[in-house]
């Protein structure tokens, strides 16, 4: 919950809960997969009516999902699909496909502005969502033989950790001229590290909150990022579960495409 993305998701869920007259309890696993398992089990022991999860590691959640099914507690997931009959729906962006499309945009920039050659540093968090964002991006860059991935840092979705990882990455790899970040803390940390080392780096990345990225966009350091709508995801998750509990049919997927924000359209997001 230190991350603005997840705060926005909760705000959307709370908005729906207030409108529909249901109680929303928010539990924070703090980017720890084992803690997330414990918190889901805690929800089950409390006897909640339904559960929304944003999975860190889906494989670790199958036990709690089975427990929830046995207790008659339906579930939905945000961002990461889990194939289980008690998980009614996936809500969010198709992570791999969106990353591959964004990677094609980055590839076009590298081909046009950098002569088709780049030394790329990846800033990730080792969650399933962000690994899918990495893999989709890498798939798009296979068509450019002049591109090399020279380093990868794990910011763990914690800004201070991400900045330290980026600082170390840039110090060890002075030839990096592109950074692709798979989440908000990783992008902010990379931008801060690049600025502190006075490096000429083209940044690309993900997530929702535009305010920290407006100045880097205006300065040309941030070439583009994918803006999601986590408040929409949180809102739809609550609405879908309430509909299901009221006996209505619900869709198995609620999906949308993120928006590419660049220096040319940033004024729309101030």
């Amino acid at each position: 919950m230190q991350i603005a993305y997840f705060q926005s998701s909760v705000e959307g869920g709370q908005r729906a809960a207030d409108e529909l007259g249901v109680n929303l309890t928010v539990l924070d696993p703090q980017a720890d997969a084992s803690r997330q398992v414990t918190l889901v089990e805690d929800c089950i022991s409390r006897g909640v009516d339904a559960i929304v999860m944003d999975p860190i590691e889906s494989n670790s959640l199958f036990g709690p999902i089975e427990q929830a099914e046995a207790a008659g507690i339906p579930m939905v997931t945000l961002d990461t699909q889990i194939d289980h009959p008690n998980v009614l729906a996936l809500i969010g962006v198709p992570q791999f496909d969106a990353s591959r499309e964004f990677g094609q945009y980055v590839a076009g920039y590298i081909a046009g502005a950098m002569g088709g050659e780049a030394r790329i540093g990846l800033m990730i968090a080792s969650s399933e969502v962000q690994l899918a964002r990495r893999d989709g991006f890498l798939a798009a860059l296979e068509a450019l033989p002049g591109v090399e991935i020279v380093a990868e840092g794990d910011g763990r979705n914690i800004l201070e950790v991400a900045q330290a990882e980026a600082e170390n990455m840039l110090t060890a790899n002075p030839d990096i001229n592109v950074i692709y970040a798979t989440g908000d803390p990783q992008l902010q940390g990379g931008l801060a590290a690049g600025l502190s080392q006075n490096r000429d780096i083209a940044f690309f990345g993900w997530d929702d909150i535009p305010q920290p990225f407006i100045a880097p966009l205006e300065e040309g350091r941030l070439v583009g990022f994918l803006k999601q709508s986590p408040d929409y995801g949180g809102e739809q998750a609550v609405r879908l579960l309430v509909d299901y509990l009221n006996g209505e049919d619900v869709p198995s997927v609620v999906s949308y495409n993120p928006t590419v924000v660049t220096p040319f359209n940033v004024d729309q997001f101030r």
Side-chain angles (χ1 to χ4, degrees):
M1 288 304 298
Q2 297 176 10
I3 301 170
Y5 176 89
F6 295 116
Q7 294 168 13
S8 181
S9 180
V10 169
E11 288 168 3
Q14 189 63 61
R15 183 168 61 244
D18 290 343
E19 179 182 330
L20 297 170
V22 301
N23 294 321
L24 182 66
T25 299
V26 180
L27 303 174
D28 181 8
Q30 300 173 350
D32 184 324
S34 61
R35 179 174 171 81
Q36 185 171 53
V37 169
T38 299
L39 292 179
V40 174
E41 292 171 341
D42 182 49
C43 288
I44 297 167
S45 67
R46 293 183 188 205
V48 301
D49 295 301
I51 296 173
V52 182
M53 301 184 296
D54 196 327
I56 300 169
E57 293 177 4
S58 60
N59 288 339
S60 68
L61 290 165
F62 275 93
I65 292 170
E66 295 281 348
Q67 295 173 36
E69 183 179 37
I73 302 172
M75 311 170 93
V76 302
T77 59
L78 300 174
D79 299 326
T80 300
Q81 183 171 357
I82 297 181
D83 186 14
H84 190 282
N86 196 52
V87 180
L88 304 179
L90 166 67
I91 301 172
V93 168
Q95 303 291 333
F96 181 91
D97 292 341
S99 294
R100 183 171 54 193
E101 292 178 13
F102 187 57
Q104 292 168 351
Y105 166 79
V106 177
Y109 177 87
I110 292 171
M114 305 178 73
E117 296 188 356
R119 302 293 174 263
I120 299 180
L122 301 175
M123 283 298 303
I124 70 164
S126 53
S127 65
E128 284 187 46
V129 168
Q130 295 202 27
L131 293 175
R133 295 175 186 176
R134 178 199 63 188
D135 294 346
F137 175 78
L138 294 179
L141 293 184
E142 290 176 355
L144 285 180
V147 169
E148 180 183 355
I149 307 299
V150 299
E152 178 176 297
D154 185 354
R156 295 168 44 204
N157 265 346
I158 301 169
L159 179 56
E160 295 80 5
V161 174
Q163 184 169 346
E165 283 281 309
E167 293 277 6
N168 293 336
M169 175 191 293
L170 294 181
T171 299
N173 300 276
D175 58 340
I176 286 178
N177 55 4
V178 172
I179 283 184
Y180 169 69
T182 58
D184 181 352
Q186 285 65 248
L187 181 53
Q188 288 198 60
L191 285 163
L195 190 62
S196 72
Q197 296 191 19
N198 195 28
R199 296 281 291 273
D200 184 14
I201 295 172
F203 284 88
F204 302 86
W206 278 77
D207 263 336
D208 168 56
I209 308 301
Q211 193 58 44
F213 304 135
I214 288 177
L217 281 163
E218 292 175 335
E219 295 161 2
R221 295 187 295 123
L222 179 54
V223 181
F225 78 99
L226 282 175
K227 182 183 183 301
Q228 297 191 93
S229 300
D231 60 327
Y232 173 84
E235 179 178 357
Q236 292 305 309
V238 172
R239 291 187 182 282
L240 186 148
L241 285 169
V242 171
D243 286 345
Y244 178 81
L245 292 170
N246 286 331
E248 300 181 24
D249 293 333
V250 297
S252 60
V253 176
V254 178
S255 184
Y256 67 94
N257 291 318
T259 302
V260 178
V261 182
T262 74
F264 302 101
N265 67 351
V266 65
D267 286 343
Q268 302 174 31
F269 303 96
R270 291 182 185 279

